[in-house]
């Protein structure tokens, strides 16, 4: 299986258009070509990955507002070389968040209906609160499929498991409190035995998720915030990381110390918010993550499993 991180940042990207936090400032520094070490942080596009079985076609997992430039990253691949192809066997949505779904509208030139896989809850949100599916009807259309707990798609065995009960903001008045809004995905390539688990919106790290992580060769994990009160502390938001359905990295019950103990061969952070100090070169927080044996995801990172 080939996995490509198309975008490693959370919603807003890195740097974000209206943000001047220390990280965004570091991402805007001149490139420093003549210095031995650059203090510039690498820019990141918004949260999405692509996955391909060793003998299959590509699956797009989440469709970010940066999908157009992200797909150019896959240009060299065979599936992208025919005149007017649809290089994806399907598009899987882990939730209905704006940063994970807005790319659908940018794929409207498709010559066939987009094959979209999501939970029924997400489908309903995308036909009512944020009606992307309805909007696409007069363009390429959407052929929707329900994400089943276990399914085989494009040569990959996929398991779907609950991750978060946090609704997208645009649905917060229209939801029951116990509903599952975000899921995680485990992909297994039978031909190679490679297993990937993808959890961009991890609200808690319970035993069943830890077991799943330890049974995977690589995990792509929610790295949204370093601190729970990261946005309120910078004066740029009122909600804590936990209130947004994202377990922060730091602290005794944060994800970093728990991930550090897991035996998974590769642990990579994704969906990293621009305020997270791990994005700043040489920051103490970045060094702490690396010292814990955890990688910080970046656009274009390819993983073969
Ligand atoms: C999230 O990941 O919590 C959302 O994408 C935040 C947002 O609404 O941008
Ligand atoms: Mn997000
Ligand atoms: Zn910022």
């Amino acid at each position: 299986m080939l996995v490509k991180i198309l975008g490693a940042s959370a919603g807003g990207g890195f740097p974000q258009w209206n943000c001047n936090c220390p990280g965004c400032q570091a991402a805007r520094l001149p490139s420093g070509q003549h210095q031995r070490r650059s203090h510039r942080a690498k820019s990141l596009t918004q949260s999405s990955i692509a996955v391909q079985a060793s003998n299959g076609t590509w699956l797009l997992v989440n469709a970010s507002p940066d999908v157009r430039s992200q797909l150019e990253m896959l240009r060299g691949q065979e599936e992208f070389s025919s005149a007017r192809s649809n290089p994806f066997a399907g598009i899987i949505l882990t939730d209905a968040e704006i940063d994970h779904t807005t790319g659908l509208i940018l794929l409207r030139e498709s010559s066939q209906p987009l094959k979209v896989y999501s939970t029924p809850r997400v489908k309903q949100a995308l036909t009512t609160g944020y009606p992307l599916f309805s909007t696409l009807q007069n363009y390429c259309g959407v052929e929707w499929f329900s994400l089943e707990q276990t399914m085989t798609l494009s040569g990959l065995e996929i398991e779907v498991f609950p991750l978060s009960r946090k609704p997208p903001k645009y649905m917060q008045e229209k939801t029951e409190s116990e509903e599952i809004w975000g899921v995680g995905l485990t992909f297994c390539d039978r031909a190679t035995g490679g297993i990937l688990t993808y959890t961009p919106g991890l609200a808690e790290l319970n035993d069943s998720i830890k077991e799943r992580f330890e049974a995977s060769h690589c995990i792509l994990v929610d790295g949204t915030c370093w601190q729970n009160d990261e946005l309120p502390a910078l004066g740029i938001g009122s909600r804590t990381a936990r209130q947004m359905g994202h377990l922060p990295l730091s602290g005794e019950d944060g994800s970093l110390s728990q991930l550090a103990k897991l035996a998974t061969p590769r642990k990579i952070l994704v969906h990293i918010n621009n305020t997270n100090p791990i994005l700043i070169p040489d920051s103490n927080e970045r060094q702490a993550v690396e010292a814990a044996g955890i990688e910080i995801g970046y656009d274009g990172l390819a993983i073969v499993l």
Side-chain angles (χ1 to χ4, degrees), residues 9-11 47 95 97-100 200 224 246 271:
S9 96
S47 181
D95 52 57
E97 296 291 336
I98 287 179
D99 58 346
H100 281 162
T224 309
H246 299 291
H271 195 277

Side-chain angles (χ1 to χ4, degrees), residues 14-16 19-25 236 274-275:
F14 180 58
Q16 180 177 308
C19 191
N20 266 313
C21 73
C24 285
Q25 288 185 32
I236 55 178
N274 59 76
T275 52

Side-chain angles (χ1 to χ4, degrees), residues 180-237:
I180 296 297
W181 276 98
V183 298
L185 303 165
T186 296
F187 298 89
C188 175
D189 186 335
R190 265 291 176 84
T192 62
I195 301 177
L196 169 81
T197 294
Y198 177 55
T199 59
L202 186 67
E204 59 157 343
L205 200 34
N206 60 35
D207 288 345
S208 112
I209 295 175
K210 282 185 196 168
E211 267 172 42
R212 183 178 287 282
F213 280 175
E214 288 210 295
S216 307
H217 300 104
C218 176
I219 56 177
L220 300 177
V221 184
D222 185 342
T224 309
C225 288
W226 176 256
Q227 277 176 204
N228 189 39
D229 68 347
E230 190 160 302
L231 298 182
L234 285 163
I236 55 178

